[in-house]
């Protein structure tokens, strides 16, 4: 394997990773072990939960589909480099035992902090504890580590969601973190909820607010050791690695592709003319690893003194912008190229520009079918969930509206300059420049990846699923004809007009239904 500055930097260095069981964290682990064979020990912060200790959870982690290619390459022996550290960013001292903490202090060289609560609806008490205080706890540990070469904090492009033109710089803190921590510790959830509008100001939710505050925790120590902040936008399926289309995340397009492929999600509130900022998971991970190398390289150039805090946007909006209008007509084609055996109806996804029109369409295309399908599921002895799922979406619309219908432009000049400055080998091995990404091909792979990794349907079942898809198409067409025949008869019954006149009116109804 060809040597390069980035691989040379990580060789022999031990890495501490928080959030290691999440989408970003587990992909970092796989990439480090696969492409940097001489990397040191990977210490993963993990919680014991569901009656399983961290060793048992580590064995579960090793079975994650992210390692499928890894195992095909027969690299399983490298998994021995992983050492689980029991703890939790939501606990004092990260919940790490004194012995394990000393191990980290004595041995760790690089810290990747990716743990966070991503729930937009979580209380300020919880998000403050995990996102703000959790970051502070990681920073406190970093200050004790004897030979720390880099701290990379995984933030979010949306920490500055109150502005739409965002630069790669640290913006003023939205509030005093000490005040927020004190309020979160002393007030109950109801009292905090009442204060939220005043505290959040222009921030859309507690997530962006506390993640913004967390950036300043990192900034406070940037003069003591090399620090970098990466701000990904919506993280989506893999572009190239470990496998095109691989994902374990149901957030963003992966989630609605999953629902659409089942045939249960038929309308989506989304303006196809607005830029949606998506960034593949492998680009995010490459950006994190590269930032760790880069902030240390700056220190070496700066006579051993840490340079200023480095902030990079891992985004696409200003460099490789994507609008659904580019492929709105192709999505359903992909869904039928890679259909599901478990589909309950013929997939047919349509984008609705208005939230009001979406609510109307949801009643007809989501709630009414969900009632019937849940009833059938219940009679068959299963657990009905569709109605509950659609209710959750309905209840979250007001909170999500800002993210659905707002166009942000995240400047990424510094990230692109970093990409250009890399060694030739590193440019290929740790791709952070998405200039060659083709959105059509990418989303085709994403839908295939959603099928295999989220819906758990392997490629060998594809032909059988395609046969079922044709049957569902026939049923779908038959139901459409029956529906419009019913509308036709209803027009005649209600108005008393002739069949010929009713036939002239029917296209008007067809047009109106087409709006939803």
């Amino acid at each position: 394997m060809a040597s390069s500055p980035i691989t040379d930097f990580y060789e022999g260095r031990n890495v501490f990773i928080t959030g290691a069981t999440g989408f970003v964290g587990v992909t970092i682990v796989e990439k480090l072990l696969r492409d940097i064979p001489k990397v040191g020990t990977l210490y993963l912060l993990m919680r014991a939960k569901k009656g399983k200790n961290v060793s048992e959870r580590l064995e579960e982690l090793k079975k994650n589909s992210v390692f499928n290619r890894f195992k095909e390459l027969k690299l399983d022996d490298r998994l021995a480099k992983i050492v689980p550290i029991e703890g939790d960013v939501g606990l004092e001292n990260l919940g790490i035992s004194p012995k394990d903490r000393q191990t980290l202090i004595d041995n760790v060289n690089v810290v990747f902090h990716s743990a966070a609560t991503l729930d937009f609806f979580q209380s300020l008490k919880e998000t403050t504890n995990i996102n703000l205080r959790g970051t502070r706890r990681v920073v406190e540990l970093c200050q004790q580590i004897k030979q720390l070469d880099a701290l990379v904090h995984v933030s979010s492009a949306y920490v500055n969601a109150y502005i739409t033109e965002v630069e790669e710089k640290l913006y003023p803190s939205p509030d005093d973190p000490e005040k927020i921590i004190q309020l979160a510790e002393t007030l109950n959830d109801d009292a905090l909820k009442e204060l939220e509008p005043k505290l959040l100001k222009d921030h859309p939710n507690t997530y962006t607010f506390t993640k913004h505050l967390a950036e300043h925790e990192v900034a406070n120590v940037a003069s003591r050791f090399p620090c970098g902040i990466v701000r990904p936008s919506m993280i989506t399926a893999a572009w190239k690695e470990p496998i095109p289309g691989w994902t374990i995340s149901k957030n963003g397009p992966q989630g609605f592709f999953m629902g659409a492929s089942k045939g249960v999600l038929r309308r989506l509130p989304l303006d196809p003319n607005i830029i949606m900022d998506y960034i593949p998971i492998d680009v995010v991970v490459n950006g994190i690893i590269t930032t760790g190398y880069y902030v240390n390289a700056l220190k070496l150039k700066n006579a051993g003194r840490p340079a200023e805090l480095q902030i990079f946007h891992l985004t696409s909006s200003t460099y490789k912008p994507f609008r659904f209008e580019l492929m709105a007509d192709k999505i359903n084609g992909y869904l039928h190229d890679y259909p599901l055996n478990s589909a309950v109806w013929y997939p047919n996804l349509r984008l609705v520009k208005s939230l009001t029109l979406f609510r109307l369409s949801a009643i007809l295309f989501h709630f009414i079918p969900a009632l019937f399908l849940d009833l059938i599921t219940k009679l068959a002895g299963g657990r009905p969930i569709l109605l509950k799922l659609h209710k959750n979406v309905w209840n979250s619309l007001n909170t999500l509206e800002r993210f659905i219908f707002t166009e942000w432009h995240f400047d990424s000049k510094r990230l692109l300059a970093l990409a250009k400055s890399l060694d030739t080998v590193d440019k290929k091995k740790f791709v952070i420049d998405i200039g060659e990404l083709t959105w059509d091909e990418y989303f085709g792979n994403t839908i295939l990846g959603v099928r295999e990794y989220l819906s758990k349907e392997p490629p060998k079942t594809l032909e059988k699923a395609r046969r079922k898809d044709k049957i569902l198409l026939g049923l779908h067409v038959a139901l459409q004809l029956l529906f419009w025949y019913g509308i036709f008869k209803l027009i005649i019954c209600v108005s008393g007009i002739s069949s010929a006149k009713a036939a002239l009116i029917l296209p008007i109804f067809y047009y109106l239904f087409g709006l939803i």
Side-chain angles (χ1 to χ4, degrees):
M1 186 173 287
S3 179
S4 72
I6 293 180
T7 54
D8 289 347
F9 168 70
Y10 283 99
E11 283 187 6
R13 281 183 164 87
N14 303 319
V15 184
F16 176 54
I17 305 171
T18 70
T21 57
F23 189 31
V24 173
V26 74
T27 315
I28 293 174
V29 172
E30 192 275 342
K31 176 68 174 179
L32 288 173
L33 293 177
R34 175 165 49 83
D35 272 356
I36 309 176
K38 294 183 181 179
V39 70
T41 301
L42 304 187
Y43 296 101
L44 310 187
L45 187 68
M46 305 176 75
R47 285 184 296 167
K49 64 177 186 178
K50 296 180 180 178
K52 296 181 179 179
N53 59 37
V54 292
S55 296
E56 291 170 320
R57 292 203 66 205
L58 176 58
E59 292 308 309
E60 284 184 348
L61 182 77
K62 292 177 181 178
K63 296 174 183 176
N64 191 295
S65 58
V66 74
F67 294 109
N68 287 2
R69 182 188 169 202
F70 189 87
K71 291 171 182 175
E72 288 173 4
L73 296 171
K74 302 187 184 304
L75 304 176
D76 303 54
D77 58 319
R78 297 182 189 177
L79 294 172
K81 289 176 178 282
I82 302 174
V83 173
I85 299 292
E86 184 170 353
D88 187 334
V89 295
L91 300 176
E92 289 302 319
N93 296 315
L94 299 172
I96 300 174
S97 70
K99 181 181 177 182
D100 284 344
R101 191 176 186 91
Q102 193 60 49
T103 297
L104 298 177
I105 290 170
D106 292 339
N107 296 287
V108 166
N109 307 112
V110 178
V111 174
F112 294 143
H113 176 41
S114 71
T117 174
L118 306 177
D119 190 346
F120 283 8
F121 306 97
Q122 205 151 28
S123 71
L124 184 58
K125 184 183 289 290
E126 189 66 15
T127 53
T128 296
N129 183 44
I130 296 176
N131 294 342
L132 172 54
R133 297 195 67 199
T135 301
R136 177 173 290 187
R137 291 166 185 139
V138 170
V139 166
E140 287 170 350
L141 172 63
C142 287
Q143 292 180 85
Q144 296 176 335
I145 291 174
K146 293 178 180 177
Q147 186 56 54
L148 184 65
D149 296 315
L151 163 63
V152 182
H153 171 66
V154 182
S155 185
S156 167
Y158 299 100
V159 297
N160 302 298
Y162 53 90
I163 52 177
T164 55
E165 303 286 337
V166 190
E167 298 177 38
E168 293 166 295
K169 68 179 186 180
L170 187 69
Y171 285 82
S173 178
D175 212 319
D176 176 12
E178 301 302 333
K179 182 185 87 174
I180 301 302
I181 289 171
Q182 184 179 17
L183 289 173
E185 287 180 341
T186 57
L187 299 180
N188 59 37
D189 281 341
D190 291 337
L192 274 174
K193 192 70 178 176
E194 191 174 332
L195 275 178
E196 263 185 32
K198 182 180 178 181
L199 295 173
L200 300 188
K201 302 181 183 70
D202 294 328
H203 272 275
N205 53 50
T206 62
Y207 168 76
T208 66
F209 178 69
T210 52
K211 288 290 283 185
H212 190 160
L213 290 169
E215 287 194 350
H216 286 267
E217 295 296 311
V218 178
N220 290 339
V221 293
S223 62
R224 300 188 59 177
F225 44 79
C227 293
I229 293 175
V230 295
R231 292 179 182 155
S233 54
M234 172 58 70
I235 304 175
T236 51
W239 173 23
K240 296 182 178 183
E241 300 179 297
I243 301 166
W246 174 81
T247 183
I248 55 171
S249 170
K250 296 178 183 178
N251 292 329
Q254 293 111 165
F256 64 70
F257 286 152
M258 187 178 182
S261 61
K262 291 273 189 182
V264 298
L265 182 66
R266 312 192 67 77
R267 296 295 183 270
L268 190 69
L270 197 152
D271 186 344
N273 301 308
I274 286 178
I275 292 174
M276 306 300 293
D277 202 305
Y278 297 138
I279 194 73
I281 179 64
D282 45 334
V283 177
V284 173
V285 166
N286 289 336
I288 293 167
I289 293 171
T290 301
T291 299
Y293 148 78
Y294 182 68
V295 296
N296 183 73
L298 287 180
K299 176 184 175 181
L300 297 178
K301 289 180 181 179
N302 199 32
R305 296 189 305 275
E308 66 177 11
L309 176 66
Q310 300 296 302
I311 299 177
F312 299 107
H313 281 162
L314 296 167
T315 55
S316 59
S317 53
T318 59
Y319 179 53
K320 195 78 173 181
F322 170 77
R323 297 177 178 86
F324 268 97
E325 66 178 356
L326 300 174
M327 58 170 287
D329 298 331
K330 299 179 182 179
I331 294 174
N332 286 311
Y334 289 136
L335 293 175
H336 297 301
D337 287 340
Y338 312 118
L340 295 181
N341 267 318
S342 56
V344 298
W345 198 249
Y346 185 73
N348 185 29
L349 182 66
R350 289 187 58 184
L351 308 181
V352 183
K353 293 183 180 181
S354 159
L355 208 55
T356 301
L357 288 177
F358 172 76
R359 289 184 187 276
L360 289 173
S361 67
I363 294 170
L364 181 63
F365 296 105
H366 290 166
F367 284 99
I368 293 175
L371 281 169
F372 285 103
L373 290 170
D374 274 358
L375 178 61
I376 293 170
T377 301
K378 191 172 183 179
L379 292 174
R383 185 168 65 94
I385 61 169
L386 286 180
L387 197 59
K388 181 180 179 181
L389 183 149
H390 288 308
K391 281 181 179 178
N392 289 340
V393 172
W394 182 282
N395 292 334
S396 67
L397 286 175
N398 288 335
T399 301
L400 295 177
E401 182 177 10
R402 188 164 171 182
F403 290 92
I404 295 170
F405 296 110
T406 301
E407 181 174 291
W408 281 277
H409 298 152
F410 300 109
D411 178 73
S412 56
K413 291 186 181 70
R414 296 184 68 179
L415 186 280
L416 293 175
L418 172 59
K420 289 178 181 177
S421 73
L422 295 180
D423 170 87
T424 303
V425 174
D426 283 333
K427 284 180 180 177
K428 295 179 180 179
K429 190 180 292 187
F430 302 96
V431 178
I432 54 177
D433 185 336
I434 59 171
E436 296 180 1
L437 184 150
T438 303
W439 287 114
D440 278 9
E441 179 185 12
Y442 172 74
F443 278 111
N445 286 332
T446 295
I447 289 173
L448 184 58
V450 166
R451 182 186 194 275
E452 182 170 353
Y453 301 107
L454 293 185
S455 297
K456 308 295 184 184
E457 298 199 8
K460 65 182 180 181
T461 65
L462 195 52
E463 287 308 313
K464 181 180 177 182
R466 285 171 176 161
R467 291 194 294 271
K468 180 178 179 179
D469 191 58
K470 291 178 181 177
I471 295 171
L472 291 176
L473 172 60
L475 293 172
H476 177 71
V477 171
L479 184 63
Q480 291 270 358
L481 292 172
L482 184 63
F483 174 79
W484 287 111
Y485 179 73
I487 294 293
F488 175 71
K489 285 295 187 180
L490 185 63
I491 292 171
I492 295 172
C493 180
V494 172
S495 64
I497 61 177
S498 66
S499 297
K501 289 182 178 178
L504 294 174
I505 295 174
L506 194 62
I508 298 174
F509 280 85
Y510 186 81
Y511 170 77
L512 293 174
F513 270 93
L515 296 176
I516 59 172

